[in-house]
């Protein structure tokens, strides 16, 4: 079975500081990995995805993530955050489950940017 | 191109009442999904559909039914609502050849 663990439920940082949101996954098969962002009272928006190729993936709004197969991790980073980055972030793994492609989500990490 | 839309945006029900949530997509996607989002639990898959006329159970299907009579629509029904079904419900869709799911804005449901 596939599962995703987001190691921090809340991450407070100051504006312009760097941030890392941690994500570990477990899967017995090849997977695709995603980070979604949810701004307050909105739906989920794709930040970035890893399907294959380069392990460093760049996404929107200056975010990037690195796929590490040996450590089964897909941590999300941004070198300098802005107030507008305040949101909840979800890591997800996509794989073939019972014959259909499905997404399994982590519990979410609430990122709060303080001025 | 509206993407994925959900109706209604908010709803309050009393225990035992029934209702249907509508999801519509205009991207000609084959796959459609219904999730519920609860604090600290991420999104959990309720039901999904791989094409018109087909549906399947996800991780937490109990208390819900779905129908996909038209390719663009995916309905989620609650026959007898319970307080445990208070949640935010998200619909998503994707095309057969891609892995990215596109999400709707959500429906906030409260069951009293």
């Amino acid at each position: 079975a596939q599962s995703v663990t987001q190691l921090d439920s809340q991450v407070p940082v100051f504006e312009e500081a760097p941030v890392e949101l941690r994500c570990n996954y477990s899967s017995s098969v090849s997977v695709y990995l995603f980070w979604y962002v949810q701004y307050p009272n909105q739906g989920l928006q794709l930040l970035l995805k890893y399907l294959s190729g380069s392990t460093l993936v760049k996404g929107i709004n200056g975010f990037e993530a690195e796929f590490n197969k040996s450590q089964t991790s897909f941590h999300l980073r941004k070198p300098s955050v802005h107030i507008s980055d305040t949101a909840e972030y979800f890591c997800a793994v996509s794989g073939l489950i019972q014959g259909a492609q499905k997404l399994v989500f982590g519990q979410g990490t609430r990122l709060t940017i303080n001025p | 191109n509206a993407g994925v839309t959900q109706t209604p945006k908010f709803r309050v029900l009393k225990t035992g009442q029934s209702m249907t949530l509508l999801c519509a997509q205009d991207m000609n996607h084959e796959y459609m999904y219904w999730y519920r989002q609860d604090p600290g639990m991420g999104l959990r898959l309720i039901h999904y559909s791989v094409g018109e006329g087909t549906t399947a159970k996800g991780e937490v299907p109990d208390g819900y039914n779905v129908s996909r009579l038209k390719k663009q629509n995916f309905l989620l029904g609650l026959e007898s609502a319970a307080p445990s079904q208070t949640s935010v419900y998200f619909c998503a869709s994707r095309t057969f050849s891609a892995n990215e799911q596109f999400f709707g804005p959500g429906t906030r449901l409260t069951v009293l």
Side-chain angles (χ1 to χ4, degrees):
Chain A
Q2 293 165 324
S3 66
V4 177
T5 302
Q6 291 183 242
L7 297 159
D8 306 292
S9 60
Q10 296 187 61
V11 174
V13 296
F14 287 106
E15 195 172 15
E16 297 183 7
V19 70
E20 178 180 80
L21 305 184
R22 297 179 293 168
C23 172
N24 285 94
Y25 70 93
S26 68
S27 176
S28 58
V29 297
S30 296
V31 296
Y32 305 121
L33 294 156
F34 303 81
W35 275 99
Y36 282 86
V37 59
Q38 184 181 30
Y39 298 107
N41 299 314
Q42 294 187 27
L44 277 71
Q45 178 182 356
L46 182 68
L47 263 183
L48 48 79
K49 59 187 176 184
Y50 172 79
L51 303 181
S52 64
S54 173
T55 56
L56 184 62
V57 181
K58 294 191 182 298
I60 62 171
N61 301 339
F63 283 92
E64 62 181 33
E66 184 154 19
F67 170 59
N68 188 320
K69 189 174 182 179
S70 62
Q71 297 189 3
T72 60
S73 68
F74 191 54
H75 300 334
L76 181 70
R77 302 185 183 100
K78 186 170 183 178
S80 176
V81 295
H82 189 266
I83 290 282
S84 60
D85 292 322
T86 295
E88 188 148 23
Y89 292 79
F90 292 95
C91 182
V93 59
S94 172
L96 206 59
I97 304 171
Q98 296 175 329
Q101 205 77 16
K102 297 176 188 171
L103 272 180
V104 176
F105 286 87
Q107 302 90 328
T109 297
R110 187 171 297 277
L111 177 64
T112 303
I113 311 301
N114 299 306
Chain B
N1 193 336
V4 181
T5 58
Q6 292 183 232
T7 309
K9 289 186 170 52
F10 304 94
R11 186 74 185 268
V12 178
L13 289 179
K14 294 181 180 178
T15 297
Q17 287 185 316
S18 62
M19 78 163 294
T20 300
L21 282 67
L22 170 64
C23 175
Q25 52 94 5
D26 60 3
M27 298 174 283
N28 202 33
H29 286 173
E30 293 85 2
Y31 288 69
M32 295 187 75
Y33 306 83
W34 275 108
Y35 296 90
R36 59 177 290 172
Q37 182 184 26
D38 301 292
M41 302 187 76
L43 277 76
R44 292 179 292 168
L45 183 64
I46 304 172
H47 285 281
Y48 65 98
S49 168
V50 300
E52 183 179 324
T54 70
T55 63
K57 294 180 180 179
E59 183 186 357
V60 289
D62 294 342
Y64 305 95
N65 57 73
V66 288
S67 64
R68 185 109 180 259
L69 299 180
K70 294 182 179 180
K71 186 177 184 179
Q72 64 267 35
N73 295 338
F74 194 29
L75 278 63
L76 178 71
L78 286 72
E79 291 183 346
S80 180
S84 60
Q85 294 177 304
T86 293
S87 188
V88 181
Y89 291 86
F90 288 99
C91 176
S93 71
R94 73 171 181 90
T95 188
F96 176 77
S97 58
N99 288 285
E100 177 185 351
Q101 291 186 19
F102 294 83
F103 284 81
T107 295
R108 186 173 295 274
L109 176 66
T110 301
V111 183
L112 302 175

